[in-house]
Amino acid sequence: MTGQVVSAELLAVVVAMVDGRPSVLTLGAPPRLPSGPLLPSHRSLQAATRAWVEEQTGRRLGYLEQLYTFADLDRDGGGSGRPISVSYLGLTTPGHPGIGGWRDWYALLPWEDTRTDTTLLDDHIAPGLRRWVESDPAARGERRRRVDTTFGLAGLAWQPELVLQRYELLYESGLVPESPAPWRRPDDELVPGERMAGDHRRVLATGLARLRAKITYRPVVFELMPTSFTLRQLQDCVEALAGRDVHTQNFRRLIEQQDLVEETGDVHAGTGGRPARLYRFRRQVLQERHVAGTKLPTTRAR
């Protein structure tokens, strides 16, 4: 029996803050994540990813981390065999990429931004999930627990890092267009959000989950910041990545306690009030000790 052909690719979730919004590099329509080959000249998977992303986009990657290998049998291989993707999360600064363009990741995963408006969750997602819960009496209890825990319902806390679990639950309940036809809900019941090619929204959810978890114990957020910034700009970035608000005084206290930043001696006059002090990241802390990262303080109730 002839074995199935396996094709491999390197898939990149490249993230930047563009006009104050966390954005991901995408190509084409429907949007897809950029991918590239592993060549004999590349000494490692990470080196290959960094090389082709920087060569094709013109953007220098700061932080780069392997996410996951996607090799499910039902992945769309376009008839070329079974595709395997080794995915990476890369952080960079905004600018015009050589390929593709920046897309707000909350246009792709809109339910993940809980800072200002929870109408989507309260009026659309929760009712759809409740219908799914009630559709199987034998699994009702287990389904209800999953829904409440994953989406912070029934008085439970919203956990920002459960991005992948939320997407997969929407997929399983038939509420996203990627859901298989047998259980996909009618179009007017599907959750808003731009579909991506193949399973790339799942890959994106994996990257967002990793980044949200990472900023709670590693100072990777500074890879997305300009050389100098105000503390308000830093807080805005963290809130945008987490999709939730943080308490200003607690946030600034944590930043100071961890000795992560230092004043540049300059000020930013474009704040509309008293000029704000400018800071820069103290990269020495990476050599001095294992820092706790930009931990998120207790959030305001949503």
Side-chain angles (χ1 to χ4, degrees):
M1 181 176 65
T2 303
Q4 185 181 34
V5 176
V6 176
S7 58
E9 65 177 357
L10 301 174
L11 197 63
V13 180
V14 181
V15 177
M17 291 295 295
V18 180
D19 297 327
R21 301 287 294 181
S23 303
V24 61
L25 182 63
T26 64
L27 298 81
R32 59 183 175 83
L33 299 171
S35 61
L38 175 65
L39 301 177
S41 59
H42 294 142
R43 58 182 176 81
S44 68
L45 291 172
Q46 186 174 93
T49 303
R50 189 179 295 278
W52 68 256
V53 167
E54 295 182 2
E55 177 183 347
Q56 294 184 34
T57 70
R59 310 309 304 159
R60 178 186 175 277
L61 293 180
Y63 182 80
L64 183 66
E65 175 182 353
Q66 185 173 327
L67 290 171
Y68 190 69
T69 299
F70 292 86
D72 295 359
L73 282 172
D74 58 354
R75 297 193 75 219
D76 181 10
S80 60
R82 180 176 180 177
I84 295 178
S85 293
V86 182
S87 59
Y88 278 83
L89 169 67
L91 307 183
T92 188
T93 52
H96 179 68
I99 59 171
W102 297 112
R103 193 175 300 264
D104 187 334
W105 74 27
Y106 291 128
L108 301 165
L109 303 170
W111 55 86
E112 289 299 331
D113 192 354
T114 65
R115 287 173 292 174
T116 57
D117 185 5
T118 60
T119 302
L120 177 59
L121 176 61
D122 299 335
D123 297 346
H124 197 126
I125 294 177
L129 290 173
R130 293 301 186 202
R131 288 191 292 270
W132 175 71
V133 167
E134 297 301 324
S135 68
D136 187 344
R140 184 180 299 153
E142 187 271 340
R143 285 185 174 187
R144 181 180 297 113
R145 284 190 293 272
R146 284 182 61 201
V147 166
D148 292 345
T149 299
T150 305
F151 280 89
L153 302 176
L156 298 179
W158 174 273
Q159 301 179 63
E161 67 277 8
L162 298 184
V163 186
L164 180 60
Q165 290 90 330
R166 282 188 284 271
Y167 173 77
E168 291 184 333
L169 191 51
L170 292 174
Y171 178 95
E172 183 179 346
S173 59
L175 291 174
V176 291
E178 297 92 327
S179 302
W183 65 76
R184 185 169 60 241
R185 303 301 302 162
D187 288 348
D188 61 350
E189 294 184 25
L190 297 179
V191 174
E194 190 173 359
R195 181 176 185 172
M196 299 184 73
D199 61 355
H200 284 204
R201 268 215 295 184
R202 183 185 177 207
V203 181
L204 175 62
T206 304
L208 175 51
R210 181 69 61 84
L211 183 54
R212 283 183 171 179
K214 208 66 156 182
I215 63 175
T216 66
Y217 63 92
R218 286 283 307 274
V220 296
V221 65
F222 294 101
E223 299 289 350
L224 299 168
M225 298 296 296
T227 304
S228 60
F229 47 83
T230 67
L231 292 183
R232 179 69 252 181
Q233 290 170 335
L234 178 59
Q235 182 177 336
D236 287 345
C237 180
V238 171
E239 289 179 335
L241 295 175
R244 62 174 182 170
D245 294 327
V246 301
H247 288 290
T248 298
Q249 294 306 316
N250 289 349
F251 176 82
R252 295 192 177 192
R253 187 178 302 114
L254 280 170
I255 294 298
E256 292 172 359
Q257 289 174 349
Q258 297 175 74
D259 203 22
L260 291 173
V261 300
E262 61 187 5
E263 292 187 32
T264 66
D266 296 324
V267 296
H268 178 56
T271 59
R274 177 183 299 178
R277 296 177 181 177
L278 287 171
Y279 294 80
R280 57 176 165 250
F281 175 48
R282 289 188 63 250
R283 292 195 176 272
Q284 300 95 307
V285 298
L286 298 177
Q287 287 78 42
E288 293 170 357
R289 55 188 168 87
H290 294 292
V291 295
T294 49
K295 286 191 173 182
L296 300 180
T298 303
T299 59
R300 303 184 183 97
R302 64 172 179 83

